[in-house]
Amino acid sequence: MKLFEPLDIKGMVLPNRIMVPAMVTRLADEQGAVNQDVIDRYVRYAKGGSGLIVVEAMAVHQSKAGQLLRINDDDKIPGLTELVRRVHDTSDSKIVPQIIHFMKVSLSGWRQTVDMLSIEDIDLIVEQFGDAVRRARQAGFDGAEIHGAHAYTLASFFSRRNTRKEDPYEGQSLEGRLHLIGRVMENIRGKVGHDFPVGIRINADEFIRDGYTVGDAKLIALRLAQLGFDYLSLSVGGKFEDAEHVPGTVFFPYTGYSGDRCMPPAWYPPAPNVHLAAEIKAFLNANGHHLPVAGAGKLDEPDVAESVLAEGKMDFVGLARGLLADPDWPNKVRKGEIDRLVKCDYCNVCKHLAGTHNKVNCFLWPKGAIQAPADQPAAGAPSWGPDKGGLSLTMQNGSAVLTWKKVPGAARYDVYRADDDGKVHVEDAVKVTRWVDGGILAGMRYRYYVRACSDTGQTSTPSNSVVIEPQMPAAVLASQSVHSAA
Amino acid sequence: MKLFEPLDIKGMVLPNRIMVPAMVTRLADEQGAVNQDVIDRYVRYAKGGSGLIVVEAMAVHQSKAGQLLRINDDDKIPGLTELVRRVHDTSDSKIVPQIIHFMKVSLSGWRQTVDMLSIEDIDLIVEQFGDAVRRARQAGFDGAEIHGAHAYTLASFFSRRNTRKEDPYEGQSLEGRLHLIGRVMENIRGKVGHDFPVGIRINADEFIRDGYTVGDAKLIALRLAQLGFDYLSLSVGGKFEDAEHVPGTVFFPYTGYSGDRCMPPAWYPPAPNVHLAAEIKAFLNANGHHLPVAGAGKLDEPDVAESVLAEGKMDFVGLARGLLADPDWPNKVRKGEIDRLVKCDYCNVCKHLAGTHNKVNCFLWPKGAIQAPADQPAAGAPSWGPDKGGLSLTMQNGSAVLTWKKVPGAARYDVYRADDDGKVHVEDAVKVTRWVDGGILAGMRYRYYVRACSDTGQTSTPSNSVVIEPQMPAAVLASQSVHSAA
């Protein structure tokens, strides 16, 4: 499989094409030092076989942001060194820090914007990025990733909503919007040299009113390639401009429409952003640049991830929530153990925890766990018994209501559905023995089964299947009778 | 060209694949009767050769909405009959009314939502749609189009944001969201029979938080096919949920992000929504339905429109702002007179006029005109004289500043740009002799020229060309010197 071919990023050789993109964990304290929980989180990904692990983001400064790793001072280097050592001792996964600068937000909803930064503020940011990457190299990281996506400082300069005027960083020209990143990269290279892999993550589309689209993103990507960035990781959305703010709470830039697009919820189709990455990669290649390009967004179906690579739309794939749910995704897929995957159901509990400054875990993990359970052999999984779960289905107001029996040892149940096309998808993961599907349509045929899952990721065989072809409503029958009579 | 092949929609044979989608004109009065201005607007499209003309929307009821055509009473039939007759007398263009029901909005920002409608209200809506289509048939229209897109009643039932509960129209299931359209179509067929072409326009993606995506749109489209709709016209966005409301003004559902997506502004790439139409059409075809599918959104480059059809992504194309700017687009393209097109620059002045309840015209028309000027021969166009316009370019803070000389008889100037790939696009249309381009990037090569245009659409030859390869910023040069040394 293309997924398991190595990828050489300026000497940082990923053992495969699977990346853990930066995900806030809220496991560090407000000082932002590495602790055992942080180490356990990232070692777990290494154990599962991901090719590239991007850590958190970690901040170049000490500005208030709740529990977030920091790389703002040399006193952070020992902790980061230990984190890197533990990951390297575990597997041949590569590990890089995502390095972020963000502006101030207040509980009242006020937020700092790029036009409020003085030239001295900007000069400081430039130095802070360089120093942070220097510390990353000192700590033994395999490279570094600059955070130029979502709602944060660099992305706010890239944005079409950049409101600065009449200075080299002004928002009226693309060159102005890109001036800061040029200075940042110069500073970084001055401090770590040109042989240290430095990637960057940006938005392929801001998905906000008056924001930039893939049209600008192609040109931004070209500039980043010109500046010598070694890989490009693409995300979308996640902006403050359309975020909902409840006064007195933290302003979280993933609560609006652009937040939906950034972390697509359950009802979004698979891989909704792939066409954007493909367009940007094709543009870079056409302009003579070949830095590896990754994208993200509901790529956790193994055949989807594989085809995205095989079709040349990306060079490596980011699976955030998919790897949070099951850090063993790479090893299981490599061994063909697709049935043993713990499949993310995109409930976005993890997003909610990050936004409310709680330790980020996964709804599919054992209750109260702050780390994914160890991989367990399939033996010892919950068992349905002779009636295979007794799954039954009734229709209620156009929805399919599924019920099944409780099984000893089951911590949750995964509901699978196959539509007309025969492909099976996880539709939901629930802790009760009832599930309602409001997304079906008469004229299609749906097959369901349920699997019982233990706290530790052991999964039963599928229950009995039930099939429904919902009854056509009267209006359709009326139309069809005319046409069959004709 | 595929664009000029006829298309048979249940006996309504379009002479070509070019559609004028419904565009509010604000030419009628608050009573909504056809008047001379309305007739002139649509006869102009017929003269220009569009295959299908979709009129306004016109409302099934008299509810307050500013200047909007109405089809709510039999007393509207004579006016509508005259409109149809005048169009049919002009060309073989087909003409259908877009038929709309909308809910109430107030100047305070309050708006009615689907959960506020009683069963009696809904029953009335069902009858109103049927009666309106019956009136359309009586008036001689070639067919009718039901408005199921954007912010209006039917779309609000289709939406994932449908908040009705516990009745057949409830938002918790797709069948509930689709119950009303089934009843509407039954009522229509009961009143006009099955041989009258009835199409529908829906959103391919709502582009709002918690809204539906192409995943639901495919199923909605399948239901519409099952119900016997004869064509499917796809739009996106245009929702109240993310609209900006200024108290005391009309609440206009094209002012948020979903409004950007619905009427993509100048900086959006061409054809941003084509992939959605292609996915829906492929799904319908795979399920055995072959009703013609159209889409819209920046399709007015002739080669783009042609390739969308040639690649089977749509069966016909909607050009709204493109045909408003130049109703002669079809005839000019058919004759190969691409250079004579008045090209929309997507300034969205038309959107602003519709939103503020002013008569909708085009910025590119003669000053004060409420109709597009008659097509004029190229002879008599403004002329640059011997210096060919004296176009010059200087760089200022990363922007290209173009200046040229004023020409007698020029009402405006169209600025063209060719990027590296050699393809020329209109970048802007301006009434002054200066234009600033902030969207260029060092490392690319840009060629510009300007054409002077008369009030009546006569266009000069191109001015002299200027070429710029913007200077690489220091940060890029620093990076490149390392790599060329290595």
Side-chain angles (χ1 to χ4, degrees):
Chain A
M1 289 174 91
K2 188 89 186 159
L3 270 169
F4 296 99
E5 290 178 13
L7 178 67
D8 185 347
I9 301 179
K10 193 188 264 178
M12 171 171 74
V13 182
L14 312 187
N16 59 54
R17 309 284 177 122
I18 302 155
M19 168 174 67
V20 185
M23 279 182 278
V24 166
T25 65
R26 305 288 182 209
L27 294 175
D29 62 19
E30 304 234 352
Q31 298 313 305
V34 170
N35 58 26
Q36 193 58 45
D37 288 344
V38 171
I39 290 174
D40 290 349
R41 175 67 55 98
Y42 292 102
V43 165
R44 188 69 190 79
Y45 291 124
K47 206 165 176 179
S50 285
L52 179 62
I53 300 167
V54 186
V55 178
E56 307 260 14
M58 55 183 83
V60 301
H61 56 340
Q62 195 59 47
S63 188
K64 199 171 153 66
Q67 315 89 324
L68 192 74
L69 282 182
R70 309 282 172 161
I71 192 166
N72 64 314
D73 193 286
D74 286 1
D75 67 9
K76 300 297 192 311
I77 296 177
L80 294 168
T81 304
E82 177 65 8
L83 170 64
V84 172
R85 190 186 66 74
R86 291 289 310 280
V87 164
H88 283 166
D89 284 352
T90 302
S91 74
D92 55 356
S93 302
K94 301 304 173 199
I95 180 168
V96 302
Q98 188 186 52
I99 294 177
I100 188 173
H101 186 278
F102 46 84
M103 290 178 287
K104 293 172 188 154
V105 296
S106 86
L107 295 180
S108 71
W110 173 87
R111 65 185 176 90
Q112 196 178 26
T113 49
V114 296
D115 53 298
M116 300 175 195
L117 297 175
S118 69
I119 292 294
E120 293 70 31
D121 292 335
I122 293 176
D123 288 344
L124 180 60
I125 292 169
V126 168
E127 295 294 336
Q128 285 172 328
F129 269 107
D131 290 338
V133 177
R134 188 254 304 157
R135 288 180 199 115
R137 181 159 206 170
Q138 286 178 268
F141 281 104
D142 299 294
E145 175 177 301
I146 304 305
H147 197 339
H150 309 158
Y152 308 110
T153 309
L154 294 175
S156 302
F157 278 88
F158 294 160
S159 179
R160 274 201 172 253
R161 301 278 288 258
N162 171 341
T163 47
R164 277 188 88 87
K165 290 208 174 82
E166 292 167 5
D167 76 1
Y169 307 93
E170 47 96 16
Q172 283 70 56
S173 75
L174 195 53
E175 285 289 352
R177 290 152 54 196
L178 291 165
H179 190 64
L180 176 57
I181 191 63
R183 288 199 58 212
V184 165
M185 191 53 162
E186 265 197 301
N187 196 282
I188 291 171
R189 288 303 184 200
K191 284 171 181 162
V192 299
H194 289 262
D195 60 338
F196 188 63
V198 180
I200 187 165
R201 195 172 209 205
I202 65 164
N203 278 347
D205 192 317
E206 295 191 280
F207 282 110
I208 52 171
R209 182 162 62 98
D210 297 335
Y212 77 68
T213 71
V214 67
D216 280 11
K218 290 196 288 193
L219 294 171
I220 295 169
L222 176 60
R223 167 54 46 83
L224 299 172
Q226 292 168 346
L227 286 170
F229 279 97
D230 296 305
Y231 73 80
L232 180 67
S233 175
L234 295 167
S235 185
V236 299
K239 305 294 291 181
F240 276 123
E241 281 81 352
D242 68 350
E244 283 218 339
H245 183 253
V246 180
T249 67
V250 179
F251 202 177
F252 188 56
Y254 303 92
T255 48
Y257 175 69
S258 70
D260 268 12
R261 293 295 315 208
C262 185
M263 298 179 66
W267 67 88
Y268 269 57
N273 301 320
V274 165
H275 63 291
L276 302 171
E279 189 169 342
I280 291 168
K281 178 165 146 64
F283 179 78
L284 288 174
N285 294 168
N287 280 278
H289 293 280
H290 298 278
L291 70 169
V293 174
K298 296 194 95 166
L299 297 175
D300 75 322
E301 286 291 338
D303 57 344
V304 169
E306 175 66 15
S307 70
V308 162
L309 296 177
E311 291 163 13
K313 293 177 176 168
M314 300 178 191
D315 299 294
F316 57 124
V317 293
L319 279 67
R321 292 168 293 172
L323 286 166
L324 184 74
D326 192 347
D328 296 311
W329 194 99
N331 285 341
K332 287 176 179 172
V333 172
R334 189 172 43 78
K335 290 189 276 182
E337 299 177 349
I338 308 294
D339 277 353
R340 296 188 57 242
L341 291 174
V342 179
K343 287 188 166 179
C344 175
D345 66 338
Y346 297 104
C347 69
N348 273 344
V349 164
C350 52
K351 172 167 113 169
H352 179 74
L353 292 168
T356 51
H357 289 203
N358 286 291
K359 291 181 183 180
V360 175
N361 61 18
C362 175
F363 175 78
L364 304 178
W365 295 352
K367 196 170 173 173
I370 61 161
Q371 305 292 351
D375 189 24
Q376 300 273 341
S383 169
W384 288 114
D387 67 348
K388 298 191 74 178
L391 178 66
S392 71
L393 185 155
T394 53
M395 289 298 297
Q396 263 176 34
N397 298 332
S399 293
V401 181
L402 300 171
T403 54
W404 58 92
K405 76 167 193 192
K406 206 168 152 72
V407 169
R412 69 166 207 278
Y413 303 89
D414 290 349
V415 181
Y416 293 78
R417 191 179 87 186
D419 301 1
D420 267 353
D421 66 4
K423 219 167 133 177
V424 179
H425 290 278
V426 165
E427 285 291 315
D428 206 352
V430 293
K431 300 202 171 180
V432 295
T433 57
R434 181 174 186 274
W435 187 69
V436 180
D437 189 355
I440 62 176
L441 191 80
M444 302 278 286
R445 188 170 180 271
Y446 299 94
R447 186 167 63 86
Y448 299 90
Y449 59 81
V450 177
R451 297 175 74 185
C453 310
S454 75
D455 250 3
T456 52
Q458 295 152 298
T459 303
S460 76
T461 53
S463 71
N464 63 304
S465 284
V466 289
V467 171
I468 180 83
E469 294 190 53
Q471 206 183 343
M472 287 286 194
V476 172
L477 295 174
S479 169
Q480 288 178 341
S481 69
V482 170
H483 289 97
S484 53
Chain B
M1 290 176 89
K2 188 86 185 161
L3 271 169
F4 296 99
E5 291 179 13
L7 179 67
D8 184 347
I9 301 178
K10 193 187 263 175
M12 170 173 75
V13 181
L14 312 187
N16 58 54
R17 309 286 177 120
I18 302 155
M19 168 174 68
V20 185
M23 280 181 277
V24 166
T25 65
R26 304 288 183 209
L27 294 174
D29 62 21
E30 304 233 352
Q31 299 312 304
V34 170
N35 58 26
Q36 193 59 44
D37 287 343
V38 170
I39 290 174
D40 289 348
R41 174 68 55 97
Y42 292 102
V43 164
R44 187 69 189 81
Y45 290 124
K47 207 166 178 179
S50 286
L52 178 63
I53 300 167
V54 186
V55 178
E56 308 258 14
M58 56 184 81
V60 301
H61 57 340
Q62 195 60 48
S63 188
K64 198 170 156 63
Q67 316 89 323
L68 190 74
L69 281 182
R70 309 282 171 161
I71 190 165
N72 64 316
D73 193 288
D74 286 0
D75 67 9
K76 301 297 190 310
I77 296 175
L80 293 169
T81 304
E82 176 66 7
L83 170 63
V84 172
R85 190 185 66 74
R86 291 289 310 281
V87 165
H88 283 168
D89 283 353
T90 303
S91 74
D92 55 358
S93 302
K94 302 305 171 195
I95 180 168
V96 302
Q98 189 186 51
I99 294 177
I100 188 172
H101 185 279
F102 47 84
M103 290 179 286
K104 294 171 187 155
V105 295
S106 85
L107 295 180
S108 70
W110 172 88
R111 66 185 174 89
Q112 197 177 24
T113 49
V114 295
D115 53 298
M116 298 175 197
L117 298 174
S118 69
I119 292 292
E120 294 69 33
D121 291 335
I122 293 176
D123 288 345
L124 180 60
I125 292 169
V126 168
E127 295 295 335
Q128 284 172 328
F129 269 106
D131 290 339
V133 177
R134 188 254 306 157
R135 287 180 199 114
R137 181 159 205 171
Q138 286 178 270
F141 281 104
D142 299 293
E145 175 178 301
I146 304 304
H147 196 339
H150 308 157
Y152 310 109
T153 309
L154 293 175
S156 302
F157 278 88
F158 294 160
S159 179
R160 273 200 173 256
R161 302 277 290 256
N162 171 341
T163 48
R164 276 188 90 85
K165 289 207 174 83
E166 292 168 5
D167 77 0
Y169 306 93
E170 46 97 15
Q172 284 71 53
S173 74
L174 195 52
E175 285 290 352
R177 289 151 57 195
L178 291 165
H179 189 64
L180 176 56
I181 191 64
R183 289 198 58 211
V184 165
M185 191 54 162
E186 265 196 301
N187 195 283
I188 291 170
R189 288 304 183 200
K191 285 169 179 162
V192 299
H194 289 262
D195 61 337
F196 189 63
V198 180
I200 187 165
R201 193 172 211 208
I202 65 164
N203 277 348
D205 192 318
E206 294 191 278
F207 282 109
I208 52 171
R209 181 162 62 100
D210 297 334
Y212 77 68
T213 71
V214 67
D216 280 10
K218 289 195 288 194
L219 294 171
I220 295 169
L222 177 59
R223 169 53 46 84
L224 300 171
Q226 292 168 346
L227 287 169
F229 279 96
D230 297 305
Y231 73 80
L232 181 67
S233 175
L234 294 168
S235 185
V236 300
K239 304 294 291 183
F240 276 123
E241 281 82 352
D242 68 349
E244 284 217 340
H245 183 253
V246 180
T249 67
V250 179
F251 201 177
F252 188 56
Y254 304 92
T255 47
Y257 174 70
S258 71
D260 268 12
R261 293 296 313 209
C262 185
M263 297 179 66
W267 66 89
Y268 269 56
N273 301 321
V274 165
H275 64 290
L276 301 171
E279 190 171 341
I280 291 168
K281 177 165 146 66
F283 179 78
L284 288 174
N285 294 168
N287 280 279
H289 293 279
H290 297 277
L291 69 169
V293 174
K298 295 193 96 165
L299 296 175
D300 74 322
E301 286 290 337
D303 57 346
V304 169
E306 175 66 15
S307 69
V308 161
L309 296 177
E311 292 164 11
K313 294 176 177 170
M314 299 178 191
D315 299 294
F316 57 124
V317 294
L319 279 67
R321 292 168 292 171
L323 286 165
L324 184 74
D326 191 347
D328 296 311
W329 193 100
N331 284 341
K332 288 177 179 172
V333 172
R334 189 171 44 77
K335 290 189 274 181
E337 299 177 349
I338 309 294
D339 277 354
R340 295 189 56 243
L341 291 174
V342 179
K343 286 188 167 182
C344 175
D345 65 339
Y346 297 104
C347 69
N348 274 343
V349 164
C350 51
K351 171 167 112 167
H352 180 74
L353 292 168
T356 51
H357 289 201
N358 286 291
K359 290 181 184 179
V360 175
N361 62 18
C362 175
F363 176 79
L364 304 178
W365 295 351
K367 196 170 173 173
I370 61 160
Q371 306 291 352
D375 188 25
Q376 298 273 341
S383 170
W384 288 115
D387 68 350
K388 298 192 73 178
L391 177 66
S392 70
L393 185 156
T394 54
M395 288 298 295
Q396 263 178 33
N397 299 332
S399 293
V401 180
L402 300 171
T403 53
W404 57 92
K405 75 168 197 192
K406 207 168 150 69
V407 169
R412 69 165 205 280
Y413 303 90
D414 290 348
V415 181
Y416 294 78
R417 189 179 89 186
D419 302 0
D420 268 352
D421 66 4
K423 219 167 134 177
V424 179
H425 290 277
V426 165
E427 287 291 315
D428 206 352
V430 293
K431 300 202 170 180
V432 294
T433 57
R434 181 174 187 274
W435 188 68
V436 180
D437 189 356
I440 61 176
L441 191 81
M444 302 276 288
R445 186 168 183 273
Y446 299 93
R447 186 166 63 86
Y448 298 89
Y449 59 80
V450 177
R451 298 175 73 182
C453 310
S454 75
D455 248 3
T456 51
Q458 294 154 299
T459 303
S460 77
T461 53
S463 72
N464 61 306
S465 284
V466 290
V467 172
I468 181 82
E469 293 188 54
Q471 205 183 343
M472 287 285 192
V476 173
L477 296 175
S479 168
Q480 288 178 340
S481 69
V482 171
H483 289 97
S484 53

